[in-house]
Amino acid sequence: MGVKVDTIIKVHQLVKDFKVPKKDVNPSLAKKIWSIFYREWETKRVLKHISFEVKKGEFIGYVGPNGAGKSTTIKILTGVLTPTEGEVQVVGFVPYKQRYEYTYHIGVVFGNRSLLEFDIPVIDSFRLYRDIYELNPKTFQERLDLFSEILKIDQFLHIPVRKLSLGERMRCEIAASLLHKPEVVFLDEPTIGLDVLAKEEIRNFLTRINQEDKTTIMLTTHDMNDIEALCERILIIDEGRIIYDGPLTEIKRKYVQWKRIEFEYHGIKNPVLLREILKKTRVLEQRQKFVSLEVNTLEQDVPEIIGGLLNSLDIVDLNVQEPRLESVIKEIYRRGMNGAGEGQAEQVGP
Amino acid sequence: MRLIEAKYLSLIRISFKRVNEFKFDFLMRYLEIPMYLIIVYFLWKLIFRFSGKTELGGMEFSRFFVYMVLARFIFISFPFTETSEEIEEIIKSGQLTAIITRPVTFQKYVFFKLNFNTLVDGLLSIGLFLLMSFVMGWYILDDLVYWLLFGASFVLAICLNYFFYFSIGLLSFWADEIFGITQAVRSIRMFFSGELIPLTMFPSTLLTVASLLPFKYMLFNPVYLYLKKYPVPEALHQLGLQLIWTVFFMIFSKILYQKGLAWYNSYGG
Amino acid sequence: MPEKIMEINPEKSTLTDRGAENTSTANLHGSDRRVEGISRSVRQVTEKSPWDRTGKLAYALKHLRLFYRFAVISWKRSTEYKFNFFLNNIQQIVTLFIYIYFWRIILNHIPQLQEWDFPTLTILTGFVFFNQSLMVVFWAMWTINRRIIKGDLDVFLVRPVSVLFAIIGQNLLIYRLFEASLGLAMIGVVLIRYHISVTLFKMVLALLIVFLGTYLIMMVTIFLQSLSFWLGRTNAFTELLQAGFLINRYPITIFPKLVIAFFTVFLPVIFIATYPTLVLVEFTVIRGLEVLGGELLIAGLWTYLVYQIWRRGIRRYENVGG
C-alpha cells in the first residue's frame, strides 16, 4: 500500500565551523617562536544553515566558487566530516554516525585523488574494490561487462594504470567507484583536465547509469558544460549559503533577461510591421543582410517577435541564442555576494 | 665576476628560502644525537675495557669518542641521497624539459638549487658540533694549519659527495627507479667511509680496499684531520687524492649527463 | 510496510536493525560511537553479500581477505619493477654482511663483548635483519602523519574499510618477506656452523618474541604518527623513533640498567633482537616464557594506547578535516 517515498538525501540547517589559526600578517620573531607552542584560533563558519533535499534518481549539479563550502558539504554527505549543527540523512543513514555501513551504499570519485593502484593492471584494483564492497563474483562480472560495454574499458583492463591516458584513467576511476552499484554517487570534478571526447564519453556513461540504475548523482564541477549536459537541477552555493536551488531551465528564466536573435534575409515584405518589431528590440549589429538583435525577455515575448520577423521579412536563416550558463553563473556569483542573506534559496532572484 | 650569474644567485635565494622553511627539519635530524651519544659512549667504553688497550684504531678513548661523534654529524648533515632523488624527480616528471629549454645549465641549476643549502647545512652542523664539544669539554682542534687542512678536506668531501650522488641521480635516465641503488650505496658508504667504525680498525687488506674507494674521502679524511692524526705531508697527499676523486666524479657526471640527455632526446624520457 | 521518511531527529531514538547491528561492528575504523537510530524509508535491499557484514567476525574475515588482495597487488607491483626488486635484495644482503663484518672487526680487537661472542652477535644481527625487512613490508605506517596532514584519509573514509588497515595494506611490500627469511636463514647457518644446539620449542619461542616485537614497534610507530591529528607535523617524533632503532643492532643488555628499562617499555626494541637471541641460546625456557609474558603485557598496553589515540584522532579528523 506504499506511498513511494523517494527522498534520498536530506540536509537540514547544516552548519559547519572550522577552527583556523589566527593569521598574523607580519609576526615578530618572538611571536613566531611563541606560535610553535601556542596558537590563537578563530572560528570560521563554512556552511551557514544550508538545507536541501534530493530525490532518488536525480542528477544534481552542485556548483560554487572556490572556498564556498562545496567540498565541505560533500565531505559531510560522504561521512568524512561531522557537522557542527544540523541534520543529514543519506539513503537512510546519518553518514557521520554510521559511516562503515553507510559507505557500502555510496560511490565517491575525487577527481584529483586516484583510487586506482598506479603500478598494477586496472583489473587488480577492481578486484580490490570487489573485496572491499564484498561483491559476489557473479555481480562483479556483470558490472564489469556492463562497464566494458559502455565505457569500453575492457581493452585496457590488463594495462597498468600509469600507462593509461588521463581520460582512460578517469573512465576506470569512475567504473571502480560504481562497481558496487551505489545508490548515491558523489563526483568531484570528474572531467577535470580531460579533452572534449573523453568528457563526452564520461557524460554519456553517467547519464546511462543515472537512467538505468536510477542512481542518484551529485556532481560538483567548475565545468558548466558538464552541468548543462547532465543535470536537471542545480544547487549553487556561495559563502556557505545555498543561493539557488532549482531546475537548470529555471535558472535561465530567472537570471537571463536577454536573448539574442540573429537572422539573414533576402528582402523586406512588410516595412511597417518590421519597424514595429524592431522598436521592441535592440539592434546590436547590422551588415548587409545580416542582423543581430537583443530582446529583453522580461518585457517582450520572444516567439511573438520571431513571428513578426517572419511575417515582415524573407528570412533565410534565423537562430535564437541564450547566454552561456557559464556567464549566467558568473553573474549569480557576483550578485550572490550581496543578494543572498536569508539562506533561503527560493527567495533569491530578481 | 661571472662565476655566479644573477640568475643563479636568485636560485640560491630560493634555496635559502627553502632552508628557512625546512630549518625545523634540519634541527630534527640532530634529535638522534643524544641517543647516539649514549650508544657510542657505553658501547665503545666497554670495547675499550675488554680490549685492555688504551688505544684502538690509533686513538685513545676520548679522541675515539670525538671521532665517532664528528663522523655522525658529518654523516647526517649531508642528506645526499636527496640530491639523487631530486634529480630523479626532475628527470622523471619532465621538469628537465623546462630546465633545458631555458638559458640555464642543468648542472649549475641543480648545484645552486640543491647543493647550496646542503653546503650551509654542513657548515651549520660543524658549528653545532663545536658548540657541543665546547659545552661538554671535548677535544677541540687547536691548530690553525690543521683547521685550514680540515676546512679544505671538509669542503672537498661535500663536493665529492655531491658529484657522486649527482651521478647516481643521473642514472634515472636509464633506470626505472634509483631508490634501490641509493640505498645499496648508502650501506656501502656507511661502512667504507668509516662512519660505522674507524677505518684504522680495519684489517690491513680491507684498509687497502677502503683506500681505493672514494668513500674514505667523503668522511674519514676530514674527521681524521680534525683529530690531527695525519702528519702535514701525508695530509697534503690525502687532500690531493680527495681532489682527484672530486674532479673525477665532476667529469664523470658531465659525461653521464650528456649521454643521458642524448638518450632522453631519442627516447623521450 | 508503508513508511514515511521521518523528520531526522537523533533524539527520537527508535533503534533500527541497522543501528543496532552497527554498534557491534568492530572498530579501528573509528565509527564506533553509539548510533542513534533513525527510521528510514523501506527500500529494496540491493547487493547483499553471503557474509553478514556487520559482526566482528565478518569484519575481521573481510579484512583478512583484503590483506590477501593487497598482498597480490603488492606482488604484482614488485614484478613490474624487476630491476629494483633485484637491487633491493642485493642491497639488503650487502647490509647484512656489513653488520656482521662490523662485529668481526670488533672481535679482532677483543675476545668477546661481555657474554656476547661472534656467533651470538651474528644471530642478533640476523634477528635485526629479519625485523627490519618485516617492518619494510609495512613501511606505509611511516606515511600516516603525512596523510593526516594532507587530508588523505578521505579516500579511505568514504569506503567500508578500516582506514589504518587500508593505508598500510595499500602500500604493502610483500616481497620483502624473502629478505626477512634471509635473516632467519643466517641464524640457521650460524647454529649449524658453530654447533649450537637449540630445542624446537626455543626456536618457536624466539620467533614469537620477534613477531610480537615487530608488532610492538609498529604500534609505537603508529601511536607517534597519530599525534599528527593534533600536532600537525610530527617529524620530530619520527626522528626520535628512528634514533631509537640505532641501538637495535647492538646487544642492549650491555648498556646501563636505565637504558635497558627505557628500551623495554617505552621504545621496546629490546624484543626485536636482544631477547630473541638470548632466549635462543642463553636463557632457560622458563626465562624465555617470562620474557614473552612481559612482552605480551607491554604489547597489550601499546595496543590499547593505539586504539584510543586512533579513535580520538579519527573523531578529530571528522571535525576539522585533516
Side-chain angles (χ1 to χ4, degrees):
Chain A
M1 47 199 262
V3 187
K4 177 118 177 74
V5 180
D6 54 359
T7 302
I8 200 157
I9 300 177
K10 192 165 181 168
V11 171
H12 185 62
Q13 294 289 323
L14 197 64
V15 173
K16 181 67 192 173
D17 291 337
F18 282 121
K19 273 190 179 156
V20 288
K22 243 186 185 164
K23 280 258 166 66
D24 206 336
V25 188
N26 210 352
S28 64
L29 185 66
K31 259 196 175 156
K32 256 186 182 170
I33 293 167
W34 180 236
S35 74
I36 295 173
F37 306 100
Y38 178 78
R39 259 193 274 175
E40 278 182 273
W41 299 85
E42 55 188 356
T43 308
K44 197 182 159 211
R45 182 152 288 192
V46 185
L47 295 180
K48 301 163 183 166
H49 300 281
I50 66 166
S51 306
F52 60 87
E53 282 184 20
V54 178
K55 290 194 167 51
K56 186 167 171 56
E58 269 193 292
F59 202 135
I60 251 199
Y62 192 44
V63 300
N66 288 327
K70 251 184 319 181
S71 58
T72 305
T73 317
I74 297 294
K75 280 182 183 176
I76 291 175
L77 288 176
T78 52
V80 174
L81 285 177
T82 307
T84 310
E85 285 170 34
E87 287 142 16
V88 205
Q89 194 182 40
V90 187
V91 269
F93 294 94
V94 177
Y96 59 95
K97 283 184 181 158
Q98 299 156 286
R99 191 177 49 231
Y100 183 75
E101 267 295 283
Y102 166 62
T103 48
Y104 277 98
H105 300 268
I106 58 163
V108 185
V109 179
F110 294 118
N112 51 352
R113 278 192 198 135
S114 186
L115 302 169
L116 303 173
E117 300 286 330
F118 201 61
D119 294 320
I120 52 156
V122 180
I123 185 74
D124 286 297
S125 288
F126 281 15
R127 287 190 189 124
L128 174 67
Y129 285 100
R130 176 192 69 196
D131 288 350
I132 287 182
Y133 291 101
E134 301 182 67
L135 302 176
N136 63 45
K138 196 170 141 273
T139 323
F140 177 66
Q141 197 52 49
E142 278 168 14
R143 291 297 274 180
L144 214 54
D145 292 342
L146 177 73
F147 294 157
S148 296
E149 181 209 326
I150 322 175
L151 281 173
K152 299 178 191 64
I153 52 172
D154 46 339
Q155 36 185 327
F156 38 75
L157 274 181
H158 296 278
I159 299 172
V161 176
R162 73 192 142 89
K163 290 185 180 156
L164 300 180
S165 75
L166 194 60
E168 291 165 342
R169 195 178 299 174
M170 192 42 83
R171 265 140 78 190
C172 296
E173 199 92 37
I174 292 177
S177 310
L178 291 170
L179 272 177
H180 56 292
K181 224 174 182 179
E183 286 152 81
V184 185
V185 176
F186 298 94
L187 296 159
D188 189 12
E189 297 280 356
T191 58
I192 198 163
L194 300 185
D195 64 54
V196 185
L197 268 176
K199 278 185 183 182
E200 195 52 42
E201 254 168 3
I202 286 178
R203 285 176 194 155
N204 289 340
F205 173 65
L206 291 175
T207 311
R208 234 182 117 171
I209 287 292
N210 175 240
Q211 284 166 357
E212 287 177 14
D213 293 354
K214 291 279 166 286
T215 307
T216 313
I217 301 180
M218 192 154 180
L219 168 76
T220 72
T221 180
H222 284 291
D223 186 342
M224 290 308 150
N225 296 328
D226 282 351
I227 302 274
E228 245 172 330
L230 294 168
C231 308
E232 295 137 32
R233 180 175 156 202
I234 179 170
L235 280 173
I236 303 177
I237 185 169
D238 191 23
E239 296 198 329
R241 291 192 174 89
I242 303 274
I243 57 169
Y244 179 84
D245 176 2
L248 199 60
T249 43
E250 192 73 2
I251 200 171
K252 289 199 171 169
R253 205 175 57 75
K254 265 190 181 164
Y255 289 87
V256 180
Q257 292 150 10
W258 294 93
K259 276 195 182 162
R260 185 175 291 183
I261 303 173
E262 288 177 348
F263 58 88
E264 236 181 300
Y265 64 97
H266 277 318
I268 299 165
K269 291 192 289 192
N270 187 341
V272 184
L273 180 61
L274 180 63
R275 212 163 298 137
E276 276 301 302
I277 297 288
L278 287 183
K279 262 187 208 161
K280 296 176 180 171
T281 69
R282 202 157 68 86
V283 179
L284 296 172
E285 202 188 344
Q286 183 173 19
R287 56 183 148 81
Q288 286 162 352
K289 308 237 154 163
F290 172 86
V291 182
S292 167
L293 300 172
E294 205 173 69
V295 183
N296 185 327
T297 50
L298 293 181
E299 293 160 12
Q300 305 296 340
D301 184 32
V302 178
E304 190 195 311
I305 299 223
I306 292 173
L309 287 171
L310 288 171
N311 285 332
S312 57
L313 292 163
D314 271 336
I315 302 282
V316 184
D317 184 24
L318 179 141
N319 73 75
V320 183
Q321 286 176 348
E322 295 184 324
R324 313 239 359 121
L325 183 63
E326 184 128 19
S327 49
V328 179
I329 300 281
K330 246 185 236 160
E331 176 68 18
I332 295 172
Y333 289 171
R334 204 172 53 72
R335 272 196 250 170
M337 303 286 173
N338 30 41
E342 303 82 14
Q344 276 296 333
E346 281 71 29
Q347 294 178 6
V348 187
Chain B
M1 184 150 141
R2 299 275 301 165
L3 192 67
I4 301 178
E5 297 160 65
K7 54 195 172 197
Y8 298 116
L9 270 177
S10 68
L11 268 176
I12 293 177
R13 223 168 292 135
I14 293 171
S15 142
F16 262 116
K17 279 219 177 100
R18 269 187 0 158
V19 173
N20 211 25
E21 235 171 81
F22 288 107
K23 62 183 183 291
F24 200 60
D25 280 351
F26 169 77
L27 286 176
M28 286 304 96
R29 298 212 297 265
Y30 291 90
L31 275 178
E32 61 157 70
I33 288 294
M35 187 76 75
Y36 182 78
L37 293 181
I38 290 170
I39 295 169
V40 163
Y41 181 82
F42 287 110
L43 177 75
W44 288 100
K45 192 100 194 154
L46 197 71
I47 294 172
F48 266 77
R49 190 150 60 80
F50 273 87
S51 76
K53 295 179 200 145
T54 49
E55 279 195 359
L56 279 178
M59 291 173 273
E60 69 267 33
F61 182 72
S62 65
R63 295 291 166 93
F64 193 97
F65 185 66
V66 171
Y67 175 98
M68 293 304 287
V69 177
L70 180 57
R72 191 69 190 178
F73 265 87
I74 294 181
F75 185 76
I76 52 182
S77 79
F78 307 163
F80 276 104
T81 50
E82 281 172 24
T83 305
S84 302
E85 281 152 22
E86 291 218 34
I87 290 167
E88 180 183 27
E89 170 84 22
I90 288 173
I91 293 172
K92 291 266 140 87
S93 69
Q95 265 187 68
L96 182 63
T97 321
I99 296 170
I100 55 182
T101 51
R102 284 186 175 74
V104 289
T105 62
F106 180 66
Q107 280 90 348
K108 283 190 190 172
Y109 178 86
V110 175
F111 184 84
F112 289 117
K113 189 158 176 250
L114 300 179
N115 191 38
F116 213 80
N117 56 40
T118 327
L119 215 68
V120 176
D121 278 8
L123 290 176
L124 278 175
S125 131
I126 293 298
L128 216 60
F129 170 75
L130 286 175
L131 184 75
M132 197 160 169
S133 305
F134 181 75
V135 172
M136 307 291 278
W138 298 333
Y139 158 87
I140 294 177
L141 179 59
D142 52 1
D143 186 324
L144 187 65
V145 177
Y146 274 94
W147 264 113
L148 290 175
L149 289 169
F150 166 71
S153 180
F154 183 67
V155 172
L156 275 176
I158 292 180
C159 291
L160 173 58
N161 257 300
Y162 171 73
F163 287 115
F164 181 78
Y165 282 100
F166 185 78
S167 307
I168 289 181
L170 289 176
L171 291 181
S172 44
F173 274 121
W174 298 276
D176 278 336
E177 202 188 66
I178 55 159
F179 182 73
I181 307 174
T182 54
Q183 291 306 304
V185 168
R186 192 189 143 91
S187 303
I188 295 169
R189 178 187 142 204
M190 201 157 140
F191 187 64
F192 283 107
S193 69
E195 195 271 333
L196 209 55
I197 193 166
L199 295 183
T200 40
M201 282 183 76
F202 278 20
S204 57
T205 39
L206 204 63
L207 185 60
T208 320
V209 174
S211 314
L212 292 172
L213 293 170
F215 306 106
K216 177 187 170 189
Y217 307 98
M218 295 175 177
L219 193 140
F220 177 80
N221 267 12
V223 180
Y224 220 51
L225 273 170
Y226 182 81
L227 295 170
K228 279 209 288 198
K229 287 293 175 183
Y230 281 130
V232 177
E234 176 62 17
L236 291 173
H237 175 68
Q238 291 293 332
L239 276 177
L241 289 173
Q242 225 175 334
L243 187 66
I244 290 169
W245 272 111
T246 310
V247 172
F248 171 79
F249 274 106
M250 204 165 105
I251 295 168
F252 181 67
S253 66
K254 211 158 199 156
I255 295 169
L256 213 57
Y257 174 69
Q258 274 154 6
K259 295 259 183 241
L261 203 59
W263 168 278
Y264 187 76
N265 286 336
S266 49
Y267 291 88
Chain C
M1 272 299 286
E3 231 183 75
K4 240 185 83 189
I5 193 159
M6 282 167 67
E7 282 305 312
I8 307 168
N9 189 347
E11 262 64 58
K12 260 191 240 166
S13 226
T14 46
L15 266 172
T16 60
D17 51 342
R18 189 176 298 281
E21 282 163 9
N22 197 62
T23 36
S24 68
T25 305
N27 286 305
L28 274 190
H29 57 81
S31 67
D32 56 312
R33 268 175 263 184
R34 201 176 86 77
V35 173
E36 285 115 319
I38 283 171
S39 41
R40 54 188 189 84
S41 59
V42 176
R43 51 191 179 74
Q44 289 291 99
V45 177
T46 47
E47 180 58 37
K48 251 292 186 196
S49 71
W51 306 78
D52 175 20
R53 63 190 173 217
T54 42
K56 265 186 178 136
L57 182 68
Y59 184 82
L61 279 174
K62 170 182 168 178
H63 282 78
L64 211 62
R65 262 176 303 139
L66 281 179
F67 187 84
Y68 168 74
R69 183 59 52 202
F70 280 132
V72 170
I73 287 175
S74 165
W75 176 251
K76 289 204 174 168
R77 186 186 293 137
S78 62
T79 50
E80 275 282 315
Y81 295 103
K82 291 191 188 71
F83 183 60
N84 281 305
F85 179 80
F86 174 73
L87 257 176
N88 276 325
N89 283 321
I90 295 282
Q91 181 249 325
Q92 288 301 313
I93 294 165
V94 168
T95 312
L96 177 62
F97 279 98
I98 282 176
Y99 284 138
I100 291 172
Y101 207 80
F102 168 81
W103 292 117
R104 180 90 273 175
I105 291 173
I106 285 178
L107 293 177
N108 279 342
H109 297 267
I110 54 174
Q112 65 179 62
L113 193 64
Q114 278 182 0
E115 73 271 35
W116 298 80
D117 54 8
F118 184 67
T120 46
L121 286 169
T122 311
I123 291 174
L124 177 100
T125 311
F127 277 124
V128 171
F129 186 80
F130 176 71
N131 162 266
Q132 276 180 356
S133 306
L134 217 54
M135 298 271 280
V136 176
V137 173
F138 304 102
W139 72 280
M141 65 185 157
W142 299 100
T143 66
I144 293 171
N145 58 354
R146 219 178 50 222
R147 282 164 184 273
I148 292 169
I149 296 165
K150 281 169 69 189
D152 269 359
L153 303 191
D154 300 4
V155 184
F156 304 111
L157 283 170
V158 297
R159 312 214 134 70
V161 63
S162 150
V163 177
L164 197 54
F165 179 87
I167 291 176
I168 293 173
Q170 204 187 26
N171 297 291
L172 226 50
L173 288 179
I174 205 76
Y175 69 92
R176 291 286 188 132
L177 285 176
F178 278 114
E179 288 162 24
S181 58
L182 213 69
L184 294 185
M186 188 77 216
I187 294 167
V189 170
V190 174
L191 291 179
I192 295 164
R193 167 80 175 67
Y194 292 91
H195 308 292
I196 304 167
S197 59
V198 285
T199 60
L200 186 69
F201 187 72
K202 272 191 173 178
M203 277 189 214
V204 173
L205 205 56
L207 271 179
L208 273 178
I209 291 170
V210 189
F211 276 120
L212 198 56
T214 306
Y215 168 80
L216 248 174
I217 298 300
M218 281 177 70
M219 287 295 121
V220 177
T221 308
I222 293 168
F223 182 86
L224 291 178
Q225 295 265 318
S226 307
L227 290 173
S228 278
F229 279 119
W230 294 269
L231 304 175
R233 288 159 61 117
T234 51
N235 300 21
F237 296 107
T238 311
E239 296 285 339
L240 274 176
L241 195 59
Q242 301 273 22
F245 292 149
L246 283 177
I247 205 166
N248 206 357
R249 53 175 193 253
Y250 308 104
I252 295 174
T253 48
I254 64 170
F255 291 98
K257 286 219 161 51
L258 203 65
V259 178
I260 297 176
F262 181 82
F263 287 105
T264 307
V265 180
F266 292 103
L267 207 61
V269 290
I270 201 166
F271 295 105
I272 284 172
T274 307
Y275 274 148
T277 310
L278 288 174
V279 166
L280 199 62
V281 295
E282 295 266 338
F283 287 176
T284 59
V285 171
I286 299 296
R287 190 73 215 284
L289 286 170
E290 277 170 19
V291 170
L292 185 64
E295 191 182 12
L296 273 169
L297 268 179
I298 298 167
L301 171 77
W302 277 103
T303 308
Y304 177 75
L305 288 176
V306 166
Y307 171 73
Q308 285 297 334
I309 198 172
W310 188 259
R311 207 169 58 100
R312 281 155 210 264
I314 287 286
R315 196 174 300 171
R316 189 181 154 86
Y317 187 92
E318 288 166 347
N319 281 309
V320 300

